[in-house]
Amino acid sequence: MYKILIAEDERDILDLISFTLQHGGYQVIPTSNGTQALERTRSELPNLVLLDIRMPGMSGYEVCKQIKSNKLTSHIPVVFLSAKGQESEIKTGYETGAIDYILKPFAPEQLLIRLNQILYLHQGEDHLSWLKQ
Amino acid sequence: MFNLSPLSLGVILLLAGLIGYLLVSQISHHLATSRRNSISEYKAKLPIHIPDLDEAYILIEPGGKIIHANPAVHALFNLNGEKINLELLASEVNPKESFFAVCAKEGKVRLTLGNDLIEGKSYQVPNKTSSSMLVSFHEVKFSPPIKSNIYLQNEIHHNEGQVDLQLTPSNHTPTNGGVSSQSSQVMDEKYQLKTQQLRLEHQRTETLLRILTELSSSLDFEQILQRTLEVLNEVIGASHATCMVLQSDNKKLRHLATVGYSTPLPPGGMPSALNINQGLVGWIIANRKSVLIDDVLEDERWIQLPNSWYHHRSAVGAPIIMGDQLLGVLLLYYPEVGKFSAEQLDIIQAAANQMAVAIKNAELFHLTLNQKEELSSLLRDQRVETSRSRSILEAIADGVIVTDQNGIITLFNHSAERMLDLKRADLIGRSIEQFTNHINDVALAWLETIKTWTQEPFSFNPMNTFTEQVGLENGNVLSVNLAPVINNNEFFGTVSVFRDITHLIEVDRMKSEFVATVSHELRTPMTSIKGYVDILLMGVAGAISEQQKNFLQVVQDNTERLTILVNDLLDLSRIEAGQVNLILQPVNLVEIIDDSLLEINRLTVAEKKSMEFDIQLPQELPLINGDPERIRQILINLLGNAFHYTLEHGNVTLSARQVGDEIQIDIRDNGIGIPPKEQERIFDRFYRGDNHMVIATAGTGLGLSIVSKLINMHSGRIWVQSSGIEGEGSTFSFTLPIYDPSKQTVTFHEEYVQDINR
């Protein structure tokens, strides 16, 4: 079962995402701030990290950068799920190394579809890199 | 021969002179009291100087009235205050001329005036003690009688009972007091006449010389005329004199100088009471001739002005003529008849000629002066204008730098000094290239443009301007606008205007921050609402009844509506804040139309409302210059409106064609249409029509507002045509520029500055 780490400071939304992903068949690691998210990413090495951007303490951008700059975690796909919808914000998100940027408010069903696709493609990539090895 | 009285003491000298009417009454008083001090007072008022004589003398005025007798007379005639036969004597003599001298003695009396011998007549006069005494009368005609210029000299020679009295005009002829009576006696009469003529000529020349001197002594025209007239009258001795000059309109004369009148002339003179064709003046002007009148009252040309204080009798006048131009008239009067002589008229005419030159000179002088005034006032105005423009440039808050056609800095105002933190003293008068040393590299493009324009003045389009942002080391940001200064196709240099936009940029940043925050804060709660409603509707949180499902559907629809509203609002505010920057590129419109139709098709499926879409495109459609994402937004919005406001099974047509250097896209439907009165408001924010179909459709009223702004940003136009009749629908048309690779001049900075300056 794939593990997805969620970082979201809004309790309601964290629950909503958790419920949706669990319903979609994923194991969920819920965290409510950047520091916690980074720690648990390193310790539990999830298959995907879903990050909010605006969080107390470390921002989602920073978490993503840290994940991507660490050899141990840099292979993990990071997806932003944020209410920040400005072009520059989205651009920054991709620049820090995210694979996707999903805007709030989101439709739970579509979120699931997107994450499924990403994991499916990533699995293929992993498989390819494994073959290369 | 007359009998001689033994009591005669030798000499009785009697002098009679002409004096003014006013003095007459005083005279008898003097005769009665014989007070010495009164006499000297009186003598001071006489037009000639009477020496103090010990000998007896009397003064008789024309008409025969005795006006003065000295104490010696009383002793001689032993009068003791009685008025005896002197009255008789006086009436017998009755002098006609200006002055009348009477001398009496035993034997012969001689009287000389200068070198001229004045002949006398002898009369026998009764005496109180003896029967009679001999009195010698000498009529003296002074011509002209000039006050203070003629002296009676107290030189009486007792020579065998003879007395010589010399009357000598001083300053004119040598005070030849020592001329012996013998030599004078042998003077030939012809010689005397000649001498007289020479003397007059000399006097005349002297007067004219003085007039000339006066005329050239000053540039004050009126003062010149006044002095000249005074000098002339010192010689002529008129009671009144006036110089009248023709006004510039040639219709009136003005008194510009007068002598003898009680009131002085105001500055600029006084108009003459008579017209130029009236009276003596009129005659002089008409005939351009001088005139000499012994008695004006008997001259038909004379007009006696009513209420005049003056009682002129003699008059002499001359025209003031320069070439063939009459400039004015000179007139002199006297209250007695026969005052003026032909010789005096000559002097007056000569003076008038000199005055003509002076008047003409003065006219020329004034002309020159006026022109000079005009020129200097013009110059002054220009200077004021220049310094005003300069002051304005100095005072404005924008930094201004002006270079001349050689790239030399000619103006560097205070604001520029402050903004760039440079000392203008180091830069004014230097080449603009000096700037390279003073300003950091970011302004290089600006410097290069000035250099290019200076070196090749016609390399730019006259409407061209240059705009750039300059970031300074201290963190401030300036915008610089550079333009060439061109007048009549001549290049005068460049003007650069710096504006500190640090604050604007800061405000701009704060605005974006605000928009970002609001956007985040609105979307976060909506995320929860939408997410949970969706999950409930999916049924994954447990089964829900049909009615619960319907209710949740309402929540979902309205959440959707709210989301669109928030997105539209943010979109619009970002466009208005200038934060939306088009990413312009060559765009294939056909692709975007296809893309948009897919989106609309989803809409028809979702809303289960069928609609026929007809697309009419030419074989070849040029690429357009635009931002594909924004063009797609425009198309979806307009097609969406057409779809929403047309009844089911309606028809929507999209056509595109080239018009000039633009592509025009028309989206026509056969829906409800837009009444003409609403058409001008539909592009306003939040405006939505009254139609039931509009009300029934979810919408924010922001769509067309955003569309119209996006089209404007593309330099396109949008308009609508509709009869407003339901079923006839409406046509929305808009244009987009065709992509032209040679015209890709729009830079980020220009667009940016335009936006923030809005």
Side-chain angles (χ1 to χ4, degrees), chain B residues 410-595:
Chain B
T410 55
L411 189 140
F412 196 102
N413 77 351
H414 180 69
S415 300
E417 251 188 334
R418 186 172 44 76
M419 283 181 195
L420 297 167
D421 196 22
L422 295 171
K423 289 268 168 289
R424 66 174 119 181
D426 300 341
L427 292 161
I428 286 179
R430 303 276 185 86
S431 167
I432 192 75
E433 306 204 7
Q434 295 277 329
F435 246 89
T436 328
N437 306 327
H438 290 281
I439 205 160
N440 70 29
D441 295 344
V442 283
L444 274 178
W446 167 67
L447 282 171
E448 282 304 319
T449 311
I450 294 182
K451 278 191 220 166
T452 311
W453 285 355
T454 305
Q455 281 158 13
E456 296 164 55
F458 293 96
S459 64
F460 57 82
N461 174 350
M463 296 307 288
N464 228 359
T465 56
F466 170 90
T467 307
E468 194 190 30
Q469 268 189 66
V470 180
L472 299 180
E473 282 169 359
N474 62 7
N476 284 357
V477 182
L478 305 182
S479 83
V480 53
N481 266 279
L482 172 66
V485 181
I486 299 156
N487 193 13
N488 291 332
N489 277 329
E490 201 182 333
F491 177 75
F492 285 110
T494 65
V495 57
S496 307
V497 177
F498 288 84
R499 179 167 292 181
D500 192 336
I501 55 168
T502 315
H503 183 63
L504 285 173
I505 285 179
E506 175 63 14
V507 166
D508 200 47
R509 194 190 59 76
M510 286 166 69
K511 214 189 276 175
S512 343
E513 211 174 84
F514 176 75
V515 169
T517 308
V518 167
S519 142
H520 187 270
E521 292 307 313
L522 284 172
R523 277 172 176 154
T524 302
M526 272 160 50
T527 304
S528 291
I529 299 169
K530 181 180 163 62
Y532 283 105
V533 168
D534 279 8
I535 283 175
L536 287 173
L537 276 170
M538 281 160 73
V540 291
I544 50 170
S545 69
E546 195 60 29
Q547 193 175 36
Q548 283 169 331
K549 194 181 175 185
N550 286 341
F551 289 174
L552 284 169
Q553 194 70 52
V554 173
V555 178
Q556 192 187 39
D557 285 352
N558 283 285
T559 309
E560 196 59 41
R561 200 167 151 183
L562 203 57
T563 307
I564 292 169
L565 173 64
V566 169
N567 288 342
D568 280 359
L569 260 179
L570 291 172
D571 215 9
L572 188 66
S573 74
R574 287 176 60 231
I575 289 170
E576 289 188 343
Q579 289 172 353
V580 171
N581 296 308
L582 299 181
I583 302 158
L584 294 177
Q585 51 191 277
V587 174
N588 184 349
L589 195 60
V590 182
E591 283 175 13
I592 298 181
I593 290 170
D594 286 348
D595 210 20

Side-chain angles (χ1 to χ4, degrees), chain A residues 12 16 20 23 54 83 86 104, chain B residues 516 521 523 527 532 535 540:
Chain A
D12 295 345
L16 172 69
T20 306
H23 172 75
R54 222 180 73 152
Q86 298 202 39
K104 290 176 187 169
Chain B
E521 292 307 313
R523 277 172 176 154
T527 304
Y532 283 105
I535 283 175
V540 291

Side-chain angles (χ1 to χ4, degrees), chain B residues 263-278:
Chain B
T263 45
L265 285 174
M270 198 177 69
S272 164
L274 291 174
N275 288 329
I276 56 164
N277 53 3
Q278 286 181 306

